[in-house]
Amino acid sequence: QNWRTFNDFFSRRLKDENSRPVAAPNDDSVVVAGADSKPQGLWRVDDNSDIVHERPVVIKSKIYNSIRTLLGGGSYLDAFAGGWMTHSYLNESDYHRYHFPVSGVVREAEVVRQDADGGGITVWDQDEGKYILQDQNPGWQSLETRGRVIVETGDYGLVAVMPIGMALVSSVNFEPSIHPGA
């Protein structure tokens, strides 16, 4: 009786906005965290839209070498050439509600459906200081649907925000207000 839909039950708005304060909410030069998550790394993107790295960049159970592949389509496949990519991981117990890390105008918003090839488990690697996928003995398959939202900022160009679902709840849903023209 308290929830009209499963989404109402599963995701809730914060009761107190001060429980997740935003640093410098009126300063567009500050990029804030898009979710309660642990940073996994920062990688340069070369002029061919390839991710510059010494070893593969693993996001969920996929290996990404190219921003084009990560974006999964759309009008901005080469817009991030010469830029930067970062990845943050939300654990099961983290607050799963995404927020925009920058202010601006939404130019594109789409759900990209993709399955996970291997499955596996993600564990914290103390030496690396980040989560690592262990998929040597995958015991399951999952979908890893991801969202792609392209935001045009006033002073800093384009920013892509990409929530990625995983495991039992592997969907990504957008509020209707974030779609271009909404």
Side-chain angles (χ1 to χ4, degrees):
Q1 70 191 23
N2 294 327
W3 302 282
R4 294 175 291 123
T5 66
F6 179 72
N7 194 44
D8 284 348
F9 169 75
F10 186 72
S11 64
R12 302 184 222 337
R13 299 200 184 275
L14 294 172
K15 290 180 181 178
D16 179 4
E17 65 184 42
N18 293 321
S19 63
R20 299 289 195 283
V22 175
N26 298 315
D27 184 353
D28 285 343
S29 68
V30 176
V31 176
V32 299
D36 281 356
S37 53
K38 294 191 183 295
Q40 300 296 297
L42 179 68
W43 298 270
R44 194 173 66 76
V45 178
D46 70 15
D47 292 337
N48 296 315
S49 297
D50 292 326
I51 302 167
V52 179
H53 52 82
E54 293 177 12
R55 57 188 214 185
V57 176
V58 178
I59 300 175
K60 303 292 181 159
S61 68
K62 292 282 189 191
I63 294 173
Y64 292 96
N65 297 312
S66 165
I67 292 298
R68 288 184 197 108
T69 304
L70 180 61
L71 289 172
S75 304
Y76 296 92
L77 292 177
D78 290 312
F80 302 100
W84 291 89
M85 182 192 92
T86 185
H87 165 53
S88 295
Y89 176 79
L90 273 79
N91 214 333
E92 292 87 11
S93 61
D94 290 334
Y95 166 68
H96 276 62
R97 193 123 183 139
Y98 294 90
H99 306 275
F100 284 99
V102 295
S103 64
V105 177
V106 173
R107 295 297 181 199
E108 184 174 271
E110 185 174 350
V111 173
V112 179
R113 306 209 185 281
Q114 184 160 347
D115 58 344
D117 293 331
I121 59 170
T122 305
V123 297
W124 180 255
D125 184 314
Q126 188 66 37
D127 294 334
E128 291 288 326
K130 63 181 182 178
Y131 285 93
I132 302 291
L133 174 72
Q134 292 183 340
D135 61 354
Q136 298 82 2
N137 294 309
W140 51 275
Q141 294 284 330
S142 67
L143 294 177
E144 291 181 0
T145 300
R146 61 189 182 274
R148 179 185 63 246
V149 180
I150 308 297
V151 179
E152 184 176 358
T153 66
D155 296 325
Y156 304 102
L158 297 171
V159 173
V161 180
M162 299 191 67
I164 302 174
M166 186 178 180
L168 300 175
V169 181
S170 60
S171 65
V172 172
N173 299 296
F174 295 130
E175 295 286 334
S177 61
I178 70 130
H179 291 283

